[in-house]
Amino acid sequence: MESQKPKIAMYVKRPFGEKLNASFDFIKENWKQLLKYATYLILPVCLLQAANFSGLMGGMTDLTAMQAAGGMGDDPLSVFGPSFAFNYAGLVFFSFLGALLLTSLIYAMIRLYIEREERLNGILFNDIKPLLLRNIKRLFIIGVFCSFLLLLAVIIIVLLAVLTPFTLLLTLPLLFAFAIPLALMAPIYLFEDISLMEAFRKTFRLGFATWGGVFLILIVMGLIASVLQGIVSIPWYIIYIVKMVFTMSDGGEAGSSVGLNFAQYLFSVLMLYGSYLSAMFTVVGLVYQYGHASEVVDSITVESDIDNFDKL
């Protein structure tokens, strides 16, 4: 019965509700394949990231225990030592790596879903790999490019604020207004064979024309992702509170408990893994927002029908 359903087209003008439905329908139809390959790529990252996260939280627990015991020195941060910087750097690195891998995978699978007659049925990793590597490279380029833009914008805003703080009334809203269309840059650059600067110009051409839709997709899908992230985070918060209570009551001995530490690590893996999967809704939603914007502004399907008229 699944194979008889019409394929979910990308380049279609859709009201906001239908864009949400298209996103949910794609995830519902392909959740097994998405979950399978997301687990292959993301779970190893989560295992390493959870070690850094648990190290940071362990340092916070020790700091709290020392505060309760009145053993704090003049410099409380000195109790962390080099491990704090190492764990924090690892957490940031694996966060970027996980987001890069997951986003690249989803874009690759959506493109294959569109191009393959059998959709994602029977898909193998070798089918995904070429697009996955291409997407990783292009997303990394986008990340570097957008980081440079953000740094430049911050420098300009700070310089103007030094002249007079009233400039913030203009520069901050402008920064927000220009940041929303940038959410479309990834699907544009990954789905189309164009240069980075062409994708950058098209981002604002499509983004400003459908600014409200992009903003709503980010808000609604972000809320859905936040709720799901909150649910998968509950076990970790429970074990963290339990560990904190025991640590403060026995002078820090519970903080070194192997059982509690291992349970906290496992729940950290679950929380991080669930957080990555939750972000899938935003990524898929932006893809169908991009398809809507392309059809509204550039009439992709009309031009395609004209180009293929002689084949009809």
Side-chain angles (χ1 to χ4, degrees):
M1 294 299 295
E2 287 290 330
S3 62
Q4 296 177 1
K5 293 181 180 179
K7 185 182 289 188
I8 305 169
M10 185 167 66
Y11 296 106
V12 176
K13 293 181 182 179
R14 291 184 172 98
F16 178 72
E18 292 185 13
K19 281 182 281 189
L20 293 181
N21 289 336
S23 303
F24 296 144
D25 289 343
F26 175 82
I27 295 174
K28 180 181 178 181
E29 180 180 341
N30 303 289
W31 71 269
K32 292 182 180 179
Q33 295 91 334
L34 289 169
L35 183 62
K36 175 182 177 180
Y37 291 107
T39 301
Y40 287 163
L41 290 177
I42 300 302
L43 187 56
V45 176
C46 293
L47 293 173
L48 296 172
Q49 189 177 1
N52 295 127
F53 184 73
S54 296
L56 283 178
M57 293 300 103
M60 296 299 297
T61 303
D62 294 340
L63 181 62
T64 302
M66 292 180 66
Q67 287 177 330
M72 297 296 298
D74 296 332
D75 184 10
L77 295 180
S78 63
V79 300
F80 293 123
S83 63
F84 177 81
F86 175 79
N87 286 322
Y88 185 79
L91 185 64
V92 173
F93 171 77
F94 287 118
S95 296
F96 281 113
L97 179 62
L100 180 69
L101 291 175
L102 180 68
T103 307
S104 300
L105 174 68
I106 294 173
Y107 282 129
M109 297 189 76
I110 292 177
R111 185 162 182 171
L112 289 171
Y113 172 85
I114 295 170
E115 294 176 351
R116 298 172 84 239
E117 290 186 7
E118 61 272 32
R119 309 182 188 187
L120 295 182
N121 296 321
I123 196 170
L124 301 174
F125 185 73
N126 286 336
D127 301 320
I128 304 172
K129 185 177 178 180
L131 277 176
L132 178 65
L133 296 177
R134 174 184 180 272
N135 290 349
I136 290 174
K137 178 182 177 181
R138 291 203 158 206
L139 275 178
F140 179 77
I141 293 173
I142 289 177
V144 173
F145 180 72
C146 290
S147 297
F148 173 77
L149 287 180
L150 178 61
L151 178 62
L152 183 62
V154 170
I155 292 174
I156 294 174
I157 291 174
V158 170
L159 290 176
L160 291 175
V162 169
L163 295 176
T164 170
F166 291 106
T167 59
L168 295 175
L169 297 176
L170 177 63
T171 55
L172 291 181
L174 282 176
L175 180 63
F176 176 77
F178 277 87
I180 296 300
L182 280 175
L184 292 182
M185 189 169 181
I188 291 172
Y189 193 45
L190 268 59
F191 280 108
E192 302 183 19
D193 295 321
I194 58 178
S195 67
L196 179 66
M197 294 311 298
E198 288 175 327
F200 181 66
R201 289 191 292 269
K202 189 170 184 178
T203 293
F204 288 103
R205 185 163 58 84
L206 299 185
F208 280 123
T210 58
W211 194 96
V214 179
F215 179 72
L216 286 176
I217 285 290
L218 291 173
I219 291 295
V220 174
M221 291 303 195
L223 287 174
I224 294 173
S226 298
V227 171
L228 295 176
Q229 289 169 8
I231 293 173
V232 297
S233 299
I234 291 175
W236 182 88
Y237 280 110
I238 292 175
I239 197 68
Y240 179 75
I241 292 172
V242 170
K243 183 179 178 181
M244 186 70 71
V245 169
F246 280 107
T247 299
M248 295 181 66
S249 63
D250 64 6
E253 293 182 7
S256 58
S257 170
V258 176
L260 280 177
N261 288 335
F262 184 67
Q264 187 178 26
Y265 171 75
L266 289 180
F267 288 137
S268 297
V269 173
L270 174 64
M271 179 177 64
L272 294 169
Y273 178 70
S275 297
Y276 282 120
L277 293 184
S278 301
M280 189 180 299
F281 289 91
T282 302
V283 177
V284 175
L286 285 174
V287 169
Y288 287 101
Q289 174 62 33
Y290 153 71
H292 165 79
S294 297
E295 187 63 22
V296 168
V297 178
D298 293 335
S299 300
I300 296 295
T301 55
V302 174
E303 291 183 2
S304 176
D305 290 342
I306 293 174
D307 292 339
N308 298 313
F309 181 76
D310 57 336
K311 300 178 183 178
L312 298 177

